[in-house]
Amino acid sequence: THTHTQSHTMNVTRVLLITRQRSGSTFFLALLAQHPDVQDLGELLNFNDANSVAALARNNLTPRDVRYGLTEMQPYLWTQCTRRVCILKVHPEHFRPPSGLEELCALGVRAILLERYPEDEYRSWQRAVRTGVWAATPRLQRLALQSGDGLCPPNRCWHDLAAADALPERKFLRQHQKWFRKARWLWPSATVVRSEEFFEDPVATVWPVLRQLGLPTAELSPQKAEEDLSRRMLDKELAQRALANTPRLA
């Protein structure tokens, strides 16, 4: 089985989307994944996410297995692939210990860097923490605020609010710079995308990325991507509620 897994993944272009929260990465990936040859693996290394924990459990794994054995767990990460290009999104919060990014780089994975101006990223992060709305686009954020769906109750969000109060903008900016400096050092030939350009014209920003991945241009619809994300928001909220009622994995 392991040999079969290696043979399969050798035929797949493995890509990391290296970014930070509030950079438009969820919408960016949703649009990329409209291409028939691209698969969005989401945040398999985000163990605060119910869907990621469920995916681990289906493979008889725990977050600890992956955190402290990332090199050995590579087959797990990429066996989810069923298309020509697979993209896994990673944030700084996904790595404990932080050496995980080096481990992924050492295994020949390509990289896309999606970076937002850090001051704008900080304001968006503070707003999301304080409102409980983490929706991917401004329209979906307005809908969440209006409906109350997906809002994080104060008794569940107190730790996030405390973190926001304890993280001044200057420290946040240093963390931003350190993360992308490290990513550029590890992947000097990475594809770099500015969040601001993506927000301005999503389709025109994604097309060059597809070409750099060796894929033909395809018809892309931001409206359809937003509709898909709206459905995923509901599914994710239901999954998070289920996770809250089950014992935490180690």
Side-chain angles (χ1 to χ4, degrees):
T1 304
H2 182 61
T3 303
H4 173 74
T5 296
Q6 286 183 322
S7 174
H8 170 68
T9 55
M10 283 175 63
N11 298 321
V12 171
T13 299
R14 299 169 297 168
V15 183
L16 294 181
L17 176 61
I18 300 173
T19 187
R20 285 171 56 92
Q21 291 180 329
R22 315 316 296 161
S23 297
S25 57
T26 301
F27 190 34
F28 179 79
L29 262 182
L31 200 56
L32 267 177
Q34 287 183 358
H35 193 287
D37 289 331
V38 175
Q39 183 173 353
D40 171 10
L41 293 180
E43 300 181 36
L44 287 176
L45 297 177
N46 178 6
F47 304 125
N48 292 318
D49 178 77
N51 294 325
S52 299
V53 173
L56 281 174
R58 287 195 296 272
N59 288 271
N60 298 315
L61 296 169
T62 69
R64 184 178 179 83
D65 293 330
V66 180
R67 279 198 183 104
Y68 296 98
L70 194 54
T71 301
E72 293 76 13
M73 290 297 107
Q74 285 289 313
Y76 157 71
L77 293 177
W78 303 108
T79 49
Q80 321 297 316
C81 300
T82 59
R83 299 186 187 180
R84 181 176 163 190
V85 174
C86 277
I87 304 179
L88 174 68
K89 180 166 68 171
V90 292
H91 291 161
E93 296 81 8
H94 296 171
F95 294 105
R96 303 288 188 274
S99 59
L101 200 58
E102 287 95 327
E103 291 187 57
L104 290 172
C105 178
L107 292 155
V109 180
R110 294 178 63 174
I112 299 170
L113 274 55
L114 179 64
E115 184 177 7
R116 186 176 186 178
Y117 288 126
E119 295 82 4
D120 293 339
E121 179 193 318
Y122 179 75
R123 285 191 290 269
S124 180
W125 176 75
Q126 283 278 348
R127 185 166 57 248
V129 168
R130 297 182 188 286
T131 62
V133 175
W134 293 86
T137 70
R139 189 174 77 87
L140 292 179
Q141 291 164 16
R142 288 194 297 272
L143 289 173
L145 282 170
Q146 291 167 7
S147 66
D149 291 337
L151 297 184
C152 190
N155 64 331
R156 282 171 51 196
C157 287
W158 65 268
H159 56 288
D160 291 334
L161 293 172
D165 290 337
L167 184 58
E169 183 173 4
R170 182 177 298 178
K171 184 176 180 180
F172 186 96
L173 301 187
R174 284 200 304 270
Q175 292 175 349
H176 174 108
Q177 293 163 356
K178 182 178 179 180
W179 172 248
F180 283 106
R181 189 185 307 120
K182 182 176 186 178
R184 286 187 171 89
W185 178 71
L186 290 170
W187 283 275
S189 60
T191 299
V192 179
V193 179
R194 294 295 321 178
S195 297
E196 294 74 22
E197 295 175 5
F198 175 67
F199 297 153
E200 182 71 24
D201 194 336
V203 173
T205 306
V206 165
W207 276 345
V209 176
L210 291 173
R211 286 196 293 271
Q212 291 190 35
L213 292 172
L215 299 174
T217 300
E219 184 176 348
L220 304 175
S221 169
Q223 292 77 18
K224 183 178 182 301
E226 201 166 36
E227 291 169 5
D228 292 343
L229 288 175
S230 181
R231 287 191 291 270
R232 284 165 57 182
M233 277 172 56
L234 177 59
D235 292 342
K236 188 170 184 177
E237 176 64 15
L238 293 174
Q240 291 294 149
R241 290 176 188 172
L243 181 65
N245 294 322
T246 58
R248 298 284 290 182
L249 294 175

